[in-house]
Amino acid sequence: MAKVEEIKHAIEKLTEEELIQIRNWFLEKDWIKWDKAIERDSAEGKLDFLIKGAKKAKKEGQLRPL
């Protein structure tokens, strides 16, 4: 926990530009993690219900243009 406190303290000393860089770095890491989870879930068939639902809606004429 001391390490986290040290990091927080260091972050508080950052300039606005440095803070933006850190924020963007965290966001990028989160998106990469999200993308990997989606890819894994898709490969495991966990998202198949979305395809089935879309096909059913199309067949029933329930889709609307984007």
Side-chain angles (χ1 to χ4, degrees), residues 10-49:
I11 288 172
E12 288 176 354
K13 294 180 178 181
L14 295 176
T15 66
E16 189 64 30
E17 180 59 35
E18 291 169 329
L19 188 57
I20 289 168
Q21 290 175 11
I22 291 289
R23 187 180 302 121
N24 289 339
W25 179 76
F26 270 110
L27 289 172
E28 183 64 26
K29 288 187 70 61
D30 284 344
W31 280 114
I32 290 169
K33 195 180 283 189
W34 172 262
D35 287 346
K36 287 180 181 179
I38 293 293
E39 289 173 7
R40 183 183 60 247
D41 289 350
S42 179
E44 293 174 1
K46 292 180 180 178
L47 304 177
D48 290 353
F49 73 97

Side-chain angles (χ1 to χ4, degrees), residues 1-10:
M1 192 62 169
K3 191 182 270 190
V4 172
E5 291 304 317
E6 289 174 25
I7 294 169
K8 285 181 180 180
H9 185 69

